[in-house]
């Protein structure tokens, strides 16, 4: 049998994260399939996987930094002779794990898992850390993890991952022995609590499943057992006789390894996604010109009330804010919706809430501090809060739209139209893996993919090909700007034949000329001549057409050239960086009305979209 640690050190953290990632990868589809609470949107397994993937990347980065400086305690180092290695400390590793999970947390369960890991880190990385590497430290860490996660949830519910975490901590507290013994006790306690979740939460009993988040935590704890003992826990049912009789179809088998018992290899470490989430935010008044786009979105659950339906949107963002501001934010968001979880500390927080007014949730974050990596997900028509669900709605929707969108304002507009959004932050284009995950999250038989950027053509094509290999019918519309995507969404009709819908959306996008106004970062040769750093640039269909010094004058010149070829509708998307945005919009609207009487103008707020102004002419 391979040598295994008798203490919980940095290398144990690295191995645990890697094993947990592999185990969640194998269990992802099963966990997704039993996800019925708090919203039956079938993504808990995926969210947990992505959360741990981010933690793995952070831990690997810490080890890589030490290897670069010649002090690695990496995979080839002995687990004995701890004083001989100069790798990262336990504190370094657990802080990286917690931070990685925090910034990469997805969904309700992923956010809670991030807080569980942060709670452990608070104990294991405390001053005098050498006292926390033994079984006593692990017991305290598991207790702190469960308590801090429960405090992070606005309204804790029993029969969820919180119950499973509390049971694990309780079992660990009473365990005598080394770290492996404590971990095994926690795992067994969690399994027993998981088996009991259907008796605690009626919706689980009706659906014939255990809690999906709790199932994921059991998988993570099984990986901890394997890390500390070298042996994966034996798979098997964790039901009591009563629970099995009540919920005959639920599964809690824990296939956490495909290695022989006793093996203790280092896990394969996957790369974290380039972006943690899709940004979205509030849009101001969707205009009549694009009302069809908003109307074509999937019907959302209504507000909580007599019909027991839940809010329409899931809102997640990272937030830089002081503790006092976060306390006020919790109260504000609690009044707006449900499933509120706020995790983190030391100035950085991850906020998760389900609301009907996604813009108000983002605005509350703006009032509290600086929100970023904003992600808004529109729940499908079949996704309801499980107070009203009679079964896990695993049937795929027929069709969905996945769009890459710059800026939280446009992302909010796209989300209101029913699209699944992926962020395109300045300098951080999404990877193909993010697009594939968005397609999976859409959970549809047919998906229309809008890359909204010419440079993302190959990335989007790779994602579409991978999704097709998973059985999803994907059509890639080569939109080169977010304004072309708006035009495509405006004619999207989910009820008509897929091919007809794709042709109509493609035609609408192709008939929309696009432009942007931005600022030159450095001196450069362009198709309009030489520009200097700080010059205002007007690009039409991707090429620099105007070089100016004034934003309004440059924007008008661009509009004049575009409308000279005809047009019926002008779309203006103002970025946060645009100077005097209100007056700019008013001036441009007035010029269009005065010079082109038959042309309508609509204005949106794009947020941090990377350019001062986006322009579309249809």
């Amino acid at each position: 049998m391979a040598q295994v640690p008798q203490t919980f050190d940095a290398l144990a953290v690295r191995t645990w994260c890697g094993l947990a990632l592999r185990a969640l990868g194998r269990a992802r589809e099963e966990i997704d399939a039993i996800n019925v609470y708090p919203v039956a949107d079938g993504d808990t397994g995926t969210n947990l996987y992505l959360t741990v993937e981010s933690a793995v990347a952070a831990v690997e980065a810490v080890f890589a930094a030490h290897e670069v400086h010649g002090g690695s305690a990496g995979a080839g180092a002995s687990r004995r002779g701890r004083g001989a290695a100069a790798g990262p400390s336990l504190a370094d590793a657990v802080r990286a794990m917690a931070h990685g999970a925090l910034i990469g947390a997805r969904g309700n369960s992923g956010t809670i898992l991030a807080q569980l890991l942060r709670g452990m880190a608070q104990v294991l990385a405390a001053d005098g850390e050498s006292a926390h590497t033994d079984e006593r430290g692990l017991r305290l860490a598991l207790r702190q993890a469960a308590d801090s996660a429960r405090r992070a949830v606005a309204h804790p519910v029993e029969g969820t991952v919180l119950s499973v975490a509390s049971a694990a901590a309780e079992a660990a507290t009473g365990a005598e022995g080394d770290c492996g013994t404590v971990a095994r006790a926690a795992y067994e306690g969690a399994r027993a609590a998981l088996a009991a979740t259907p008796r605690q939460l009626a919706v689980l009993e009706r659906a014939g499943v255990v809690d999906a988040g709790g199932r994921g935590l059991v998988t993570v704890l099984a990986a901890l057992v394997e890390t500390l003992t070298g042996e994966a826990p034996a798979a098997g049912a964790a039901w009591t006789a009563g629970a099995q009789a009540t919920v005959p179809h639920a599964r809690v088998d824990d296939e956490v390894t495909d290695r022989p018992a006793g093996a203790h290899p280092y896990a394969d470490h996957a790369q974290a996604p380039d972006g943690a989430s899709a940004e979205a935010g509030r849009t101001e008044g969707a205009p009549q010109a694009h009302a069809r786009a908003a109307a074509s979105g999937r019907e959302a659950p209504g507000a909580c009330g007599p019909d027991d339906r839940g809010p329409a949107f899931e809102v997640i963002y990272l937030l830089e804010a002081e503790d006092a501001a976060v306390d006020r934010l919790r109260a504000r968001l609690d009044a707006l919706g449900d499933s509120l979880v706020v995790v983190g500390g030391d100035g950085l927080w991850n906020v998760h809430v389900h609301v009907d007014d996604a813009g108000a949730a983002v605005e509350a974050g703006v009032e509290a501090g600086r929100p970023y990596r904003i992600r808004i997900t529109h729940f499908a028509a079949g996704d309801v809060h499980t107070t009203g669900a009679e079964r896990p709605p695993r049937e795929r929707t027929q069709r969905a739209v996945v769009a890459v969108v710059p800026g939280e304002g446009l992302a909010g507009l796209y989300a209101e139209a029913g699209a699944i959004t992926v962020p395109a932050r300045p300098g951080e284009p999404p990877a193909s893996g993010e697009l594939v995950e968005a397609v999976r999250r859409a959970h549809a038989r047919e998906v229309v993919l809008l890359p909204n950027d010419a440079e993302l053509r190959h990335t989007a094509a790779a994602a579409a090909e991978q999704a097709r290999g998973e059985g999803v019918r994907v059509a890639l519309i080569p939109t080169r700007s977010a304004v072309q995507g708006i035009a495509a969404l405006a004619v999207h009709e989910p009820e008509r034949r897929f091919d007809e819908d794709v042709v109509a959306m493609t035609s609408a996008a192709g008939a929309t000329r696009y432009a942007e106004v931005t600022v030159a970062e450095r001196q450069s040769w362009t198709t309009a001549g030489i520009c200097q750093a700080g010059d205002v640039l007007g690009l039409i269909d991707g090429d620099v057409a105007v070089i100016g010094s004034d934003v309004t004058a440059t924007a008008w010149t661009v509009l004049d050239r575009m409308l000279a070829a005809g047009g019926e509708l002008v779309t203006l998307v103002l970025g946060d960086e645009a100077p005097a945005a209100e007056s700019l919009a008013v001036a441009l609207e007035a010029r269009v009305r005065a010079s082109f009487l038959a042309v309508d103008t609509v204005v949106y707020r794009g947020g941090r979209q990377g350019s001062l102004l986006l322009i579309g002419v249809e």
Side-chain angles (χ1 to χ4, degrees):
M1 179 181 295
Q3 184 74 22
V4 296
Q6 297 304 309
T7 56
F8 196 64
D9 61 6
L11 200 52
V13 173
R14 184 189 203 187
T15 305
W16 177 32
C17 289
L19 290 173
L21 184 65
R22 291 191 62 181
L24 286 170
R26 289 189 293 271
R28 179 181 64 81
E29 290 186 1
E30 177 197 331
I31 297 173
D32 282 347
I34 63 172
N35 172 203
V36 299
Y37 185 86
V39 172
D41 49 358
D43 62 358
T44 292
T46 298
N47 287 338
L48 290 170
Y49 178 87
L50 293 173
T51 301
V52 173
E53 186 178 45
S54 184
V56 165
V59 172
E60 286 301 296
V62 168
F63 273 85
H66 279 266
E67 289 169 1
V68 167
H69 291 90
S72 173
S78 170
R79 298 307 301 252
R80 292 169 289 188
R82 291 170 52 82
S89 66
L90 172 62
D92 292 335
V94 294
R95 285 175 184 143
M97 172 186 71
H99 180 75
L102 176 68
I103 65 174
R106 302 286 189 98
N108 190 73
S109 294
T111 307
I112 292 174
L113 177 61
Q115 187 67 8
L116 288 167
L117 297 179
R118 177 178 171 81
M120 292 188 70
Q122 287 173 327
V123 172
L124 297 172
D127 292 339
E129 64 188 58
S130 60
H132 300 294
T133 62
D134 58 9
E135 62 276 7
R136 176 178 175 274
L138 185 56
R139 290 192 203 97
L140 293 174
L142 290 167
R143 179 76 271 166
Q144 174 66 9
D147 292 346
S148 64
R150 190 170 286 269
R151 288 193 298 268
V153 178
H155 301 286
V157 174
E158 299 306 325
T160 65
V161 64
L162 297 177
S163 303
V164 176
S166 294
E170 191 66 29
T173 300
E176 295 294 335
D178 61 13
C179 286
T181 302
V182 172
R184 190 176 293 277
Y187 165 74
E188 295 296 346
R191 276 180 40 141
L194 179 64
T197 56
R199 298 197 299 273
Q200 296 174 292
L201 204 54
V203 63
L204 301 179
E205 185 176 19
R206 289 196 299 268
V209 297
V210 293
D211 178 66
R215 171 70 176 83
L217 179 58
V218 167
T219 301
V220 171
L221 289 172
L224 180 61
V225 173
E226 184 177 1
T227 298
L228 295 172
T229 67
E231 296 183 357
W239 296 105
T240 61
Q244 189 167 7
T246 303
V247 192
H249 301 299
R251 294 177 58 195
V252 291
D253 292 350
D254 292 296
E255 293 290 341
V256 298
T257 183
D258 51 10
R259 308 187 189 91
H264 187 59
Y266 289 86
D268 296 325
H269 299 287
Q271 194 68 24
D274 291 343
S277 56
E279 293 187 359
R282 190 174 190 176
T283 59
E284 297 188 1
Q288 292 181 349
H290 291 129
R292 293 189 305 276
S296 68
R298 293 165 292 175
E299 181 182 355
C304 293
D307 63 350
D308 291 327
R309 308 282 279 195
F313 299 100
E314 176 186 60
V315 179
I316 303 175
Y317 49 80
L318 293 178
L319 177 70
E320 293 177 356
E322 300 297 328
D323 291 4
V326 171
D327 289 340
R328 294 190 295 271
L329 175 66
R330 282 193 175 100
R332 173 86 179 274
L333 293 179
D334 194 27
L336 287 175
D338 59 28
S339 297
L340 174 61
V341 185
V342 181
V343 304
D346 301 321
L348 180 62
W349 309 82
N350 190 308
V351 179
H352 170 281
V353 67
H354 294 170
V355 293
D356 278 316
D357 190 343
V362 175
E363 287 178 352
V366 172
E367 292 177 5
R370 188 179 79 88
Y372 61 104
R373 289 192 181 181
I374 302 166
R375 175 186 172 203
I376 295 178
T377 302
H378 182 283
F379 293 127
D383 302 335
V384 297
H385 273 225
T386 50
T387 50
E390 296 299 326
R391 59 180 177 81
R394 291 301 303 154
E395 184 67 21
R396 288 181 179 270
T397 57
Q398 183 60 33
R399 190 173 308 158
V401 176
V402 172
V404 179
V405 184
E408 62 273 18
L410 274 181
L413 176 69
Y414 273 72
E416 287 177 5
I420 304 297
T421 62
V422 180
R425 294 176 292 277
E428 297 182 47
S432 61
E434 287 185 79
L435 301 185
V436 172
E437 286 302 331
V439 171
R440 291 171 180 158
R441 195 164 69 245
H443 199 63
R445 298 183 183 91
E446 302 166 341
V447 170
V448 179
L449 182 57
L450 305 175
N452 291 339
D453 188 337
E455 295 184 1
L456 288 177
R457 179 168 56 90
H458 296 298
T459 299
E465 189 63 29
Q466 182 175 343
R468 292 183 190 114
E470 297 178 4
V472 181
R473 189 180 184 187
V474 181
L476 171 60
I477 297 178
T479 49
R480 293 175 288 175
S481 170
V483 292
Q484 288 187 324
I486 292 174
L489 272 176
V491 300
H492 172 48
E493 292 287 349
E495 302 305 318
R496 65 185 164 199
R497 290 179 58 244
F498 185 62
D499 291 340
E500 293 176 354
D501 198 28
V502 171
V503 168
M505 294 176 72
T506 302
S507 298
T512 302
R513 300 188 69 195
Y514 65 96
E516 68 174 298
V517 177
T518 188
V519 176
E521 296 181 355
R522 59 187 178 275
Q523 184 185 61
S524 179
W525 286 90
T526 76
T527 52
I530 300 175
C531 70
Q532 305 295 328
D535 283 348
V536 180
L537 306 180
L539 290 80
I540 299 177
D541 295 335
D543 294 322
V544 176
V546 181
I547 300 175
S549 58
D550 179 76
V551 173
T552 302
T554 302
W556 172 243
T557 302
V558 169
L559 267 173
D560 191 36
R561 292 189 184 184
M562 296 177 76
L563 289 170
E568 299 176 354
L569 174 67
V570 170
T571 300
L572 303 175
V573 184
L574 296 165
D576 283 351
E577 302 85 357
E582 289 288 349
S583 59
L584 174 62
V586 170
L588 294 177
E589 285 185 277
R591 292 291 293 268
V592 170
R593 282 197 304 270
S595 302
F596 302 93
L597 298 179
V599 178
D600 294 324
T601 304
V602 294
V603 180
Y604 300 120
R605 299 289 178 178
R608 294 182 292 274
Q609 62 187 23
S611 59
L612 305 180
L613 177 68
L614 297 177
I615 302 172
V617 174
E618 301 175 41

